[in-house]
Amino acid sequence: MAFTAPRTSAQPLGGTMAEQRLEKTTTQAGVDLYGRLGAAVDGISMRPVHYKIFALVALGSLFNAIEQYNVGYAGPIIAEQWALSSTAVGLLSTATFIAMAVGSLLSGIAGDRYGRRVIFMVNLAVFAVGALLAAVAPSYETLLAARILVGLGLGGEIALGFTVVSEMMPTKRRGTMTASLSFVAGGIGVFAASGLGALVLGPMSGILGGEQLAWRWFFAIMVLPAVLILFIRRYVPETPRYLLQHGKINETNRVLSSLASNTLRPGKDFEVERFLDVPEGTRPTEDLGKVRLTDIFQGAVLRSTIVGWLLTLAMFGTIVVLTVFMSTVLVARGFEVGTSLLYTTLINFGGLLGGLVGIVAASKLPRRLTFISGAGMCAAFAVCFSFSTNAVPAVIFSFLLAFTFQVLLANLWAYLPELYPTRLRAFGTGACSTVGLLAAGLGPLAAGALMDGFGEVGVYTLVGGMCVVIAVIATVGPETQGRDLDQVV
């Protein structure tokens, strides 16, 4: 891929021979520069500063995950206090998912246009405002509006969090770190939400003013860490790949030098190393024109978009269906409600372990191999569950299903940012996330209809079908494990 210096409107189209030689030299420098950027990022290797950046992203994702689930735990108390119907309570979650889909898409667009860092900060601010508004909401309508704000922030966090981690980490550790982020948000976040809910809405409710006020404290607690992270996240630099794509050579060198010096707060006398020794303004030829949103449907990127959308749709939809209907399916098998909740907790622990294994898999194994083999195992576990006749095999196969799906989910979050070039990475990842979140919102409706019509077999038939989709689609997706981000697509 060639780089050229931007041409001003005053320059003639062809230019003098001297100008043409200069442009050719700059273009060749651009070619070398593009490779040198990846070499510089990989050459710096993993240092404490990389883990600091990861921690600042992961902490925000953790608290956002808690906020995503807390309305479900507070829902019964709010419904009783405000005399709400089950539909009205369910709408709070539905509105959150839909807003997340919108937020993911909008943040992806803005992140590619205005930078990952600034939009990353805006997302957290929107989330904090929404959480505060939910805590003081005087009415159901205000709470619904607050959940929409929360969803917008949550969706944006998903789109840009994985993009930032993916672009800041060396190639050899990229899969590990993106999968670790998935584990923090999707694994630890679920347990943290339930644990915090049980504590605040249970033993601590009396101290906090009883159930009528405890749920408000439950929402308000999330504001404090969000504001704190918003304050310290200002030290997270813009990603070098975004800066290079927009011709900000001096700032790119400064960020690379900061990483090499293992600091996020370089002083006034900080010496900037010229990793990229080309004129300011040099950037990829393909990025000199305006980036269009339709570019994710053009050329080789179209295949990546189709693969990313279908994988995310199938995986998000299935994860939510399993989470929402696991207890219902076990009760339909004849278990007591209390027993089914105990078994569900055990099954969710399988998901937590799967997230840990997923970190290793994303680092060591080819993406397509993980998708195909993991989806095949999930389909087999779903079939085995449908034929199980007592508690032990039912719980074992459900445990294995949750375990394997979390491995797949970790692999997915490592894969999505790798599918797109830098100029489209945030938007492409955000668009995939949007499709997945819509599936997450609609999946329970489809599963509920199947449950009513065919019983629990219908739910697990849906799960098995989605596993087949994952395996088939993975066969046509590009293999990206271990490849430099700028060589993908």
Side-chain angles (χ1 to χ4, degrees):
M1 184 178 297
F3 283 63
T4 74
R7 179 183 296 278
T8 66
S9 58
Q11 290 176 301
L13 181 62
T16 65
M17 292 184 64
E19 289 172 337
Q20 290 176 357
R21 284 196 298 270
L22 176 61
E23 181 172 329
K24 182 177 180 181
T25 301
T26 304
T27 301
Q28 184 60 47
V31 173
D32 297 336
L33 173 65
Y34 206 58
R36 284 171 58 191
L37 173 65
V41 172
D42 290 343
I44 292 171
S45 73
M46 285 295 291
R47 303 187 179 192
V49 68
H50 290 94
Y51 292 106
K52 290 178 183 178
I53 293 172
F54 172 81
L56 291 175
V57 176
L59 282 174
S61 297
L62 172 63
F63 294 128
N64 285 357
I66 295 173
E67 185 71 29
Q68 179 180 340
Y69 293 106
N70 64 7
V71 70
Y73 296 107
I77 298 175
I78 298 173
E80 181 179 355
Q81 182 176 336
W82 287 349
L84 301 177
S85 65
S86 297
T87 301
V89 175
L91 183 59
L92 294 174
S93 292
T94 299
T96 304
F97 272 113
I98 294 176
M100 286 175 65
V102 175
S104 180
L105 187 64
L106 294 179
S107 292
I109 296 172
D112 281 330
R113 186 164 298 175
Y114 303 111
R116 284 77 160 112
R117 182 178 182 272
V118 62
I119 305 302
F120 206 33
M121 301 284 284
V122 169
N123 288 331
L124 199 56
V126 170
F127 158 74
V129 171
L132 180 61
L133 182 60
V136 300
S139 65
Y140 172 79
E141 291 75 18
T142 305
L143 180 58
L144 183 61
R147 294 304 301 180
I148 292 174
L149 277 179
V150 167
L152 290 173
L154 288 172
E157 187 79 16
I158 291 174
L160 291 183
F162 288 94
T163 298
V164 169
V165 171
S166 181
E167 291 186 344
M168 295 295 287
M169 302 298 160
T171 301
K172 290 184 178 180
R173 302 300 300 274
R174 187 177 68 231
T176 299
M177 303 310 291
T178 50
S180 297
L181 184 59
S182 172
F183 172 71
V184 170
I188 298 176
V190 174
F191 278 85
S194 60
L196 185 63
L199 181 65
V200 174
L201 302 176
M204 289 187 63
S205 63
I207 303 175
L208 298 175
E211 287 188 346
Q212 289 190 341
L213 292 178
W215 68 268
R216 295 184 182 276
W217 284 106
F218 188 30
F219 289 151
I221 287 173
M222 289 297 97
V223 178
L224 297 179
V227 171
L228 176 62
I229 295 172
L230 180 63
F231 176 75
I232 61 179
R233 259 192 189 175
R234 72 185 192 277
Y235 297 118
V236 175
E238 183 57 82
T239 68
R241 285 185 171 86
Y242 171 84
L243 294 172
L244 179 60
Q245 288 290 326
H246 289 76
K248 299 180 179 180
I249 303 300
N250 294 335
E251 196 172 346
T252 301
N253 283 323
R254 184 172 181 81
V255 171
L256 290 173
S257 299
S258 178
L259 294 176
S261 300
N262 195 31
T263 179
L264 291 178
R265 301 179 63 183
K268 293 181 180 180
D269 299 330
F270 179 70
E271 184 175 348
V272 176
E273 182 178 348
R274 296 289 295 179
F275 286 90
L276 310 176
D277 193 12
V278 294
E280 179 74 5
T282 303
R283 60 192 179 107
T285 304
E286 65 179 39
D287 293 328
L288 294 181
K290 184 178 180 180
V291 175
R292 299 168 300 174
L293 301 184
T294 55
D295 285 351
I296 64 171
F297 304 109
Q298 304 295 325
V301 181
L302 175 60
R303 179 181 67 154
S304 295
T305 297
I306 294 174
V307 169
W309 281 22
L310 290 177
L311 285 176
T312 311
L313 184 152
M315 220 165 295
F316 274 41
T318 304
I319 285 288
V320 172
V321 166
L322 288 174
T323 302
V324 171
F325 281 90
M326 186 62 70
S327 296
T328 304
V329 168
L330 292 175
V331 169
R333 285 291 180 94
F335 298 119
E336 295 292 335
V337 174
T339 303
S340 71
L341 290 175
L342 177 62
Y343 285 152
T344 300
T345 301
L346 178 61
I347 292 167
N348 286 336
F349 184 69
L352 193 64
L353 293 178
L356 288 173
V357 174
I359 295 173
V360 179
S363 174
K364 303 295 184 181
L365 300 178
R367 306 283 185 249
R368 290 189 296 188
L369 174 64
T370 303
F371 283 131
I372 294 170
S373 59
M377 288 188 287
C378 284
F381 295 147
V383 171
C384 290
F385 176 88
S386 65
F387 286 103
S388 60
T389 57
N390 57 62
V392 174
V395 172
I396 289 175
F397 289 124
S398 295
F399 178 95
L400 293 173
L401 189 59
F403 174 91
T404 310
F405 244 105
Q406 283 298 328
V407 174
L408 291 178
L409 193 61
N411 200 63
L412 176 71
W413 281 121
Y415 192 51
L416 292 181
E418 297 171 344
L419 289 175
Y420 294 96
T422 299
R423 65 193 180 93
L424 296 171
R425 184 165 295 121
F427 173 55
T429 303
C432 290
S433 176
T434 296
V435 172
L437 289 167
L438 291 174
L442 297 176
L445 297 178
L450 289 172
M451 186 79 176
D452 291 338
F454 304 97
E456 69 271 17
V457 175
V459 175
Y460 276 81
T461 299
L462 175 64
V463 171
M466 290 298 97
C467 292
V468 172
V469 170
I470 294 169
V472 171
I473 294 301
T475 61
V476 299
E479 180 54 65
T480 61
Q481 197 272 338
R483 295 179 60 186
D484 187 276
L485 281 176
D486 298 312
Q487 297 175 349
V488 175
V489 182

